Amino acid sequence: MRYGIGSLCLLLVSVLSADCGDLAPARGVPPPTPREWSLATLNLWRFRDAIRHSDLDEPLSPALLEQRVQALADFIGGTLQAPHLLALQEVENRGLLDRLVARLAAAGWKYRAILKEGNDPSGMDVGVLYRDPVQVASAQGMFASQRFQGHALFSRPPLRVRILRPWRFLLVVVHQRSARGLGKSTVYEKRQRQAAWLANWVRRQSSPLIVAGDFNSTWGAGQFAASYARFAQAGLFNVWQYLPVHERYSFRYRCRPQALDHIWVSDALKPGIRRVAASRGNAGRYHSLYGSEGVSPVSDHDALVLYGERELEE
């Protein structure tokens, strides 16, 4: 009951919220050149199917589901210029990704999908879409069995994907614990524990790495930034630094820009990065998002995109 009341209150606040007044015009990202390949990260804003899987599930109507699938396909193929590798958060199951793959195929984009079911009571998972020239060797979930105060430490366990081409590296897709209830010590500790587990794992790796996704944290001071600071100790490079300071955000919290979505890379991969871009048109458009139920815009997050040299010297 407590969860239901809280969710209802949040929904009412969101529905009554207006779009922010100082938004940048909607824009897509540049297409990759023939010498580039692209990697993007995007939160899909609770992309659900039309079936009630649990008491916490809020299924879409069949008609709305079709609209959302089409809108996401248009966004990925158009606004994001069909990135070769796409790290996704907040998707309910592999079947939804398969539907999205089919819709993208109808537009000429031949993707494959990866998703491993996690522990989230509401059913949200992380996943990956990829297309040529990206070649995948394997994929597996991480830390799914780790516990925290009698529950799963990671409701949405990171997804580790071994990439063979066009670069050879490990991609880790993450969706860390949100800041909801951050005033509670248990929430703060769980966020810190997640960041520490991931950072410790990164430090033990010898292979090149890219860690991408929704970290629900950013640089700065205070409790909200603490899990970002903890993971930053792992020693990876945050590609936001390639963009001007005023462009370093992917979300709007009460209309204030925040960078919740990050792409971190190993030093060995930095020479292959040609440029970085962020889309605009999602973040801060609360009224439009809830009014259209995720059709226009498709998310409350903007996307972050990395463009890499196709031929990376190893």
Side-chain angles (χ1 to χ4, degrees):
M1 179 63 72
R2 185 177 301 170
Y3 179 92
I5 292 173
S7 298
L8 179 60
C9 291
L10 287 169
L11 178 61
L12 289 173
V13 169
S14 300
V15 170
L16 295 174
S17 296
D19 291 354
C20 297
D22 59 344
L23 298 173
R27 69 165 191 262
V29 299
T33 70
R35 293 185 56 190
E36 294 175 333
W37 72 284
S38 55
L39 180 156
T41 182
L42 176 65
N43 183 307
L44 296 185
W45 190 68
R46 307 190 72 75
F47 184 33
R48 297 183 176 279
D49 61 21
I51 301 170
R52 183 176 296 279
H53 299 278
S54 73
D55 291 341
L56 300 181
D57 195 2
E58 298 174 3
L60 305 182
S61 69
L64 179 57
L65 174 58
E66 283 301 304
Q67 289 179 305
R68 286 213 68 193
V69 171
Q70 186 62 56
L72 285 169
D74 292 342
F75 184 83
I76 292 169
T79 302
L80 296 189
Q81 299 290 335
H84 300 97
L85 183 57
L86 184 54
L88 300 173
Q89 305 87 49
E90 290 201 18
V91 56
E92 188 170 34
N93 52 53
R94 170 64 185 271
L96 281 172
L97 287 189
D98 289 341
R99 293 181 70 152
L100 186 54
V101 164
R103 197 62 57 88
L104 286 162
W109 306 110
K110 296 182 179 180
Y111 279 95
R112 296 181 179 180
I114 302 171
L115 183 142
K116 303 293 184 183
E117 289 292 336
N119 304 311
D120 190 348
S122 64
M124 294 294 100
D125 301 304
V126 300
V128 165
L129 294 183
Y130 67 98
R131 66 180 182 92
D132 287 341
V134 175
Q135 183 178 346
V136 170
S138 62
Q140 63 186 95
M142 301 173 63
F143 315 139
S145 62
Q146 298 303 319
R147 309 294 289 175
F148 175 77
Q149 296 190 356
H151 302 279
L153 175 60
F154 288 87
S155 295
R156 302 169 292 265
L159 177 63
R160 181 176 68 198
V161 183
R162 185 173 297 276
I163 308 294
L164 297 180
R165 293 183 181 179
W167 294 357
R168 186 180 294 270
F169 66 96
L170 290 176
L171 170 68
V172 179
V173 183
V174 306
H175 187 185
Q176 304 291 70
R177 207 282 186 194
S178 76
R180 187 177 300 171
L182 186 56
K184 300 177 181 178
S185 60
T186 55
V187 173
Y188 175 80
E189 185 179 347
K190 186 173 185 179
R191 284 164 56 89
Q192 288 291 89
R193 190 80 60 88
Q194 287 183 348
W197 266 91
L198 191 59
N200 290 339
W201 179 86
V202 166
R203 282 192 286 263
R204 295 194 300 268
Q205 304 311 303
S206 57
S207 299
L209 296 172
I210 296 181
V211 182
D214 182 355
F215 281 75
N216 271 310
S217 185
T218 191
W219 50 81
Q223 287 188 323
F224 182 71
S227 55
Y228 177 94
R230 177 68 63 90
F231 180 74
Q233 296 173 3
L236 300 180
F237 177 79
N238 193 324
V239 305
W240 280 116
Q241 296 182 56
Y242 284 109
L243 291 178
V245 172
H246 70 276
E247 280 287 338
R248 297 178 188 177
Y249 69 94
S250 59
F251 188 76
R252 293 267 184 165
Y253 176 69
R254 297 179 179 175
C255 292
R256 297 192 300 271
Q258 291 180 332
L260 299 189
D261 307 86
H262 303 277
I263 299 176
W264 300 80
V265 302
S266 298
D267 286 342
L269 299 178
K270 284 176 61 178
I273 299 174
R274 293 174 61 93
R275 53 184 171 148
V276 172
S279 69
R280 294 288 175 249
N282 291 339
R285 287 166 169 81
Y286 309 117
H287 181 75
S288 300
L289 176 69
Y290 283 88
S292 70
E293 299 187 82
V295 174
S296 180
V298 298
S299 175
D300 52 349
H301 291 242
D302 290 324
L304 179 63
V305 185
L306 176 155
Y307 299 82
E309 181 75 45
R310 284 214 184 196
E311 299 298 328
L312 179 64
E313 294 184 5
E314 298 183 8

